[in-house]
Amino acid sequence: MKNSVFHFIGDFSSQLEELALRVEALLWDQPQAAMTQARLFGELLVNMIFEQENMSEVYPLKLVEKINRLYRHDVIQDDMYKKLEFLRKNGNIASHQVLEMDQEVAKEAHRILFELGVWYSEVYVSHTFSAPRYELPSKQNQDLDAMKQWMDAYIKETQARISEIEEQLHQLKEEKKQHPVVKEKRISTEKRAENRIVPLERFQLTFENANFTYRNLSKKAAEFQFENFKTGYVYLLDNVTPTIVIHPWLVEQAKLFEEVEIKPTRSTALRKFPRPEENGQLKSNYGYPFTFQTKGELEVLLQRIAEEFESKYMIK
């Protein structure tokens, strides 16, 4: 791009210069695309700093982890940290959002690229480096030929990657023909269900600590009761994700957990729960399921249920 403020960057990295020129070419008409290129600039610059500082990676680090590491080791200070994080966060937003990015964000990114380039030149290239004066390119002076040249190169590069993927797929197909994999016998859904067990041993103590007494165990559910409340029954299911089912009264009458939209579940294992009648026929017992991941989450669920019972003098 003619008379670009970024040309000094080419003295130490042609790749960084190319990314900066892309940002400049896309700045006015495609600010969202410009922001994604700005993020790539920040990522490449961080990698270059890592090389300069001989900071090896024991395992691959994400960009945010690399930036944090540079800051913790005093390689960059507050202002450089903020600039790199601005590019990373807004670049991520630009890559995933549907709505067009604000023009001012892209313009700020353009200025940040310049300042990062100057910082790198002064620290790692030459202590006598003299930075050019920063200027935001005017829309009228935008080099459309440069943008077209970049777009043509981008399309060519994309087509090359597609061809490479197709070639890899072809090779995989040939390997499959020459070395067929012996397929393992799949276990049916019914068989997997038979092999599941209620995680009673894992969670029984949590129920007991919350004053829920163990009452019964079937193939599909463990039954607990809070004190002597008729509606105080809770069932721990054999689901893949740990699940408890609570009495319909708690949801439909007491309005417990009304902030959560949940559909009822039916099972004969919920033996102390009501059986609704539909078209003159009794259906299976039903209740409202809630999933959890840890004992701590289960404890919170049980505590809310217990508090509801304790706030009532009598539950019929």
Side-chain angles (χ1 to χ4, degrees), residues 219-230:
K219 288 183 178 181
K220 295 183 178 180
E223 183 181 278
F224 295 87
Q225 185 181 17
F226 181 72
E227 297 182 357
N228 291 317
F229 290 99
K230 288 184 178 180

Side-chain angles (χ1 to χ4, degrees), residues 267-284:
S267 174
T268 55
L270 312 176
R271 60 180 194 146
K272 296 293 185 178
F273 286 179
R275 297 178 64 187
E277 183 176 328
E278 293 181 11
N279 299 323
Q281 294 184 342
L282 284 176
K283 299 297 182 180
S284 297

Side-chain angles (χ1 to χ4, degrees), residues 19 33 37 41 60 62 75-76 82 94 96 110 112-113 117 127-128 147-148 152 164 177 201 235 247 256 267 294 308:
L19 287 169
Q37 297 300 308
F41 180 101
K62 296 178 181 179
V75 177
I76 59 174
K82 291 177 181 178
H96 296 99
H110 183 275
I112 286 176
L113 297 193
H127 295 296
T128 61
M147 181 186 292
K148 183 178 184 302
D152 290 342
E164 183 180 349
K177 290 178 182 179
E201 203 171 289
Y235 290 89
H247 198 284
L256 189 65
S267 174
T294 65
E308 183 60 37

Side-chain angles (χ1 to χ4, degrees), residues 179-191:
H179 307 285
V181 178
V182 178
K183 293 184 179 180
E184 296 181 1
K185 187 176 181 181
R186 286 181 171 271
I187 302 176
S188 66
T189 303
E190 293 78 8
K191 201 67 177 177

Side-chain angles (χ1 to χ4, degrees), residues 171-223:
Q171 291 178 5
L172 285 174
K173 288 181 177 180
E174 291 299 316
E175 289 177 8
K176 285 177 67 176
K177 290 178 182 179
Q178 296 176 14
H179 307 285
V181 178
V182 178
K183 293 184 179 180
E184 296 181 1
K185 187 176 181 181
R186 286 181 171 271
I187 302 176
S188 66
T189 303
E190 293 78 8
K191 201 67 177 177
R192 286 198 299 271
E194 289 178 9
N195 294 333
R196 287 208 309 259
I197 59 172
V198 179
L200 179 62
E201 203 171 289
R202 182 180 171 192
F203 296 110
Q204 183 172 356
L205 185 59
T206 304
F207 279 93
E208 292 175 352
N209 288 339
N211 295 322
F212 284 79
T213 304
Y214 170 63
R215 297 296 188 195
N216 185 64
L217 177 65
S218 65
K219 288 183 178 181
K220 295 183 178 180
E223 183 181 278

Side-chain angles (χ1 to χ4, degrees), residues 22 37 150-166:
R22 290 181 185 181
Q37 297 300 308
W150 174 75
M151 288 299 295
D152 290 342
Y154 178 78
I155 293 171
K156 185 176 181 181
E157 183 181 350
T158 302
Q159 290 174 339
R161 288 177 180 172
I162 293 174
S163 298
E164 183 180 349
I165 292 171
E166 290 177 345

